[in-house]
Amino acid sequence: MSRPDPPRIHLTAIISAEVELADDVRVGPYVVIDGPVTVGPGCVIGPHAHLIGPLTLGKGNTIGFGSVVGGAPQHLAYNGEPTAVAIGEGNTFREHTTVHRGMPASTGPGTGITVIGNGNLFMAGSHVAHDCRVGDHGIFANGALLAGHVEVGDRVLLSGNSAVHQFCRVGRLALLSGASATSKDIPPFWVMQDVNRVCGVNVIGMRRAGLPTVEIQAVRKAFRLIYRERLTIPAALLRIEAELGQVPAVREVIDFIRTTKRGICGPGRFDSTAEDAAA
């Protein structure tokens, strides 16, 4: 005897009248969806998840067991104002991940919204704080933490139990090692470990992303000019621009460093013993 198909929305789920669900969205047991929440086609909401609006989920997202998406900012100046989270398509939020709404635009540097792009994997216990902007196809391992106002580029890897300080930027294809932290910006393609310590270039990630060998080698040379030649950052940038500025990946590094507000780790924070391992 065949069993009947389970209901698309579990009988124990609690869903606010303001919620808009696409026709094929699956909602698991004991889910709570509260307030103005829009969930796109193909999304799966796992058991005990809590979605809080204003929140928009694009198509094909998976929300894992016990995750909280759209929670209030963890900020003492927040007083219940209606701020939002906007999430793109094809993201996976594993169990007990948390994503918080932005701070009000009228409150200091608040933007009113936390934004996540497409195709990211947020592993168990990872956290995205208020006003963050996350790009596409990143991997945030178990316990990876983004503080408020962090900007993350595409294809970033934050390893387990790593942390990024508020207002920092993490460039495309950068890597932060496990149990590490940064209070400085991480340029594109850089690898960092421990606390504010640079250890090399993410060559493996660049290869997997399809960057040509000539660009990879040019980025490695630019890295050496900063950290092996021990020039000041402004002097190193001038030399890099003169010798390698025509290479797109190097241009990306130059532009990132020149627009940093928190600064990057200089030669004094370079761990040369780890460079070969990072490559």
Side-chain angles (χ1 to χ4, degrees), residues 115-117 120 122 127-128 131-140 145-147 149-158 164 168-174 186 256:
V115 179
I116 294 174
N120 296 288
F122 297 89
H127 173 64
V128 180
D131 301 284
C132 285
R133 292 187 175 267
V134 177
D136 300 335
H137 305 293
I139 297 176
F140 304 81
L145 308 176
L146 299 179
H149 305 277
V150 168
E151 296 182 17
V152 180
D154 296 342
R155 293 181 176 271
V156 161
L157 172 56
L158 299 187
V164 180
C168 284
R169 294 186 301 155
V170 182
R172 180 169 73 105
L173 282 164
I186 308 178
F256 183 98

Side-chain angles (χ1 to χ4, degrees), residues 235-256:
L237 288 179
L238 288 174
R239 186 169 167 188
I240 291 166
E241 190 163 40
E243 298 180 16
L244 303 164
Q246 76 283 2
V247 179
V250 174
R251 184 80 255 166
E252 188 175 341
V253 171
I254 294 170
D255 292 344
F256 183 98

Side-chain angles (χ1 to χ4, degrees), residues 8-9 13-22 25 27 31-40 45 50-57:
R8 183 174 59 82
I9 300 176
I14 300 173
I15 300 175
S16 167
E18 302 168 88
V19 174
E20 297 181 10
L21 302 178
V25 172
V27 179
V31 167
V32 176
I33 309 180
D34 185 17
V37 177
T38 300
V39 183
I45 316 300
H50 189 181
L51 275 55
I52 307 160
L55 166 64
T56 302
L57 287 168

Side-chain angles (χ1 to χ4, degrees), residues 66-81:
S67 293
V68 179
V69 180
Q74 295 179 139
H75 195 299
L76 293 175
Y78 182 70
N79 292 307
E81 298 91 341

